[in-house]
């Protein structure tokens, strides 16, 4: 009874202290002609800057052009560093003027957008010894080139291999973009014959209901291709849902405002789907609150008015969005522009970006922090896409996790029963003892065996 008596004492109505202004920071979006801070865009008008052709045409594709665009804004030593970074990067380079003008060039080393798109030689770390190029095993689960059928009722269709920008952290660096010196790509060019094979497969599998159309990036599909893929899939009786996946809204929202043919094509697919009681949505990829501007808001408003649902999948990256305040600000800001946070991915094991990965523990701590910060339906699930084709697993659902070695073990009963999947924290974030074990190759199989043994014993218990 004693604990209840506390409640029954007469109390005044609860008085909340005034809100901390920081709580409202998500409503302050960058507006005005911010691009004019960049000398080469100083005379670019708003109409030009909002034109998606202008954005595409002026996108930066190598270190030299980058240097020319922002001369004088950052020290020369930074450009030499970026040149060295580009030379060692396994990804192609493409940065839109919009992104370029959102970067704080006075602080390029700590800028969260620079970190995601422009590598610098001095920050690169050696890859984890357990890293493979197609770390998700997407090719092993592909019945036809560019179609991954891993889960029972859904498949991932990659109709093309180009994007409006190229992200350093891309999971599909095995296929996306033109060849770089470091990587020979799997060819997934636009090819109607390959698409037809994918359609035949999708039609032949009655259990498939849900298709993710990714790439590359659906932004780079022409209007008639969006419509032809969308309508072809809608016509299949087994297909109930589809999502067009694009980074576009985060890196070039201008297209939604000025590429009327593309947006109208998408809208027609969404509207026909709605009449057929089938869901067609857009999945996008914002990682940092600075990627949401007044231009983004205008673009998302257009999608909202057209009834196009937008969900967001972020990639968790060190020094980009691994701080609780930054992640919370991102989620609130996405909610403000009617984008639903859906997933935050623990960074896959990808070549050349060890400096971007975080520990699994970081993801679990963030997950704890953001739950309750905003609406439940705007609270993302934190997932690890288990290397080796285990599929997405809740970050906290590991069977075993050793924070010293950074080895975590997952199972995936619905995807690949009776198998174990490992994830590996970045070595430089481990305690000294764990780092020493990874420095010795003879210890590698031992660390895995230990982890597996513990996972098995826990499961039996
Ligand atoms: C992520 C993914 C999907 C979609 O999974 P959801 O959890 O439904 O978002 C489908 N196929 C593959 C191969 C994927 O990686
Ligand atoms: S837009 Fe998506 S597919 Fe393209 S490089 Fe970025 S993460 Fe990879």
């Amino acid at each position: 009874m004693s604990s209840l008596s506390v409640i029954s004492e007469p109390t005044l109505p609860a008085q909340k202290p005034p809100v901390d202004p920081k709580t409202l920071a998500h409503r302050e979006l960058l507006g005005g002609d911010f691009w004019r801070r960049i000398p080469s865009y100083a005379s670019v008008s708003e109409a030009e800057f909002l034109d998606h052709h202008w954005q595409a045409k002026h996108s930066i594709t190598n270190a030299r052009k980058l240097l020319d665009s922002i001369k004088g804004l950052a020290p020369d030593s930074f450009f030499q560093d970026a040149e060295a970074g580009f030379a060692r990067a396994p990804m192609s380079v493409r940065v839109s003027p919009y992104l370029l003008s959102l970067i704080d060039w006075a602080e390029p080393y700590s800028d969260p957008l620079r970190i995601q798109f422009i590598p610098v030689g001095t920050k690169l770390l050696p890859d984890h010894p357990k890293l493979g190029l197609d770390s998700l095993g997407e090719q092993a689960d592909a019945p036809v080139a560019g179609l991954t059928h891993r889960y029972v009722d859904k498949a991932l269709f990659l109709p093309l291999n180009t994007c409006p920008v190229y992200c350093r952290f891309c999971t599909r660096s095995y296929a996306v973009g033109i060849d770089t010196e470091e990587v020979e790509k799997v060819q997934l060019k636009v090819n109607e014959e390959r698409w037809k094979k994918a359609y035949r497969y999708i039609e032949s599998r009655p259990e498939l209901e849900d298709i993710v159309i990714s790439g590359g990036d659906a932004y780079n599909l022409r209007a008639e291709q969006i419509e032809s893929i969308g309508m072809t899939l809608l016509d299949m009786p087994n297909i109930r849902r589809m999502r067009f996946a694009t980074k576009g809204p985060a890196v070039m929202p201008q297209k939604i405002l000025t590429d009327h043919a593309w947006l109208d094509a998408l809208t027609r697919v969404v509207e026909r789907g709605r009449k057929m009681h089938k869901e067609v949505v857009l999945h996008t990829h914002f990682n940092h609150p600075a990627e949401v501007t007044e231009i983004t808001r205008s673009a998302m408003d257009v999608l909202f008015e057209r009834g196009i649902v937008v969900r967001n999948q972020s990639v968790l990256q060190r020094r980009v969005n691994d701080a609780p305040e930054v992640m919370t600000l991102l989620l609130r800001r996405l909610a403000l522009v009617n984008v639903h946070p859906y997933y935050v991915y623990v960074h896959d094991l990808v070549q050349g970006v060890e400096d971007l990965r975080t520990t699994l523990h970081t993801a679990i701590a963030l997950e704890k922090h953001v739950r309750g910060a905003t609406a439940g339906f705007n609270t993302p699930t934190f997932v690890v896409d288990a290397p080796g084709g285990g599929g997405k697993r809740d970050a906290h659902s590991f069977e075993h996790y050793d924070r010293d070695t950074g080895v975590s073990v997952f199972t995936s009963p619905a995807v690949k029963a009776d198998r174990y999947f490992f994830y590996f924290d970045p070595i430089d974030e481990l305690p000294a003892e764990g780092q020493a074990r990874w420095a010795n190759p003879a210890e590698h199989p031992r660390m895995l065996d230990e982890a597996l043994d513990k996972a098995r014993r826990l499961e039996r218990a």
Side-chain angles (χ1 to χ4, degrees), residues 45-59:
S45 69
E46 183 172 14
E48 264 178 310
F49 197 73
L50 291 182
D51 177 4
H52 70 105
H53 288 302
W54 188 89
Q55 288 287 332
K57 196 169 146 225
H58 291 86
S59 290

Side-chain angles (χ1 to χ4, degrees), residues 144 147 157 194-203:
V144 294
L147 186 81
F157 177 34
R194 185 169 67 76
W195 292 9
K196 281 193 190 127
K197 282 190 194 138
Y199 296 149
R200 277 200 291 273
Y201 178 84
I202 295 169
E203 262 179 325

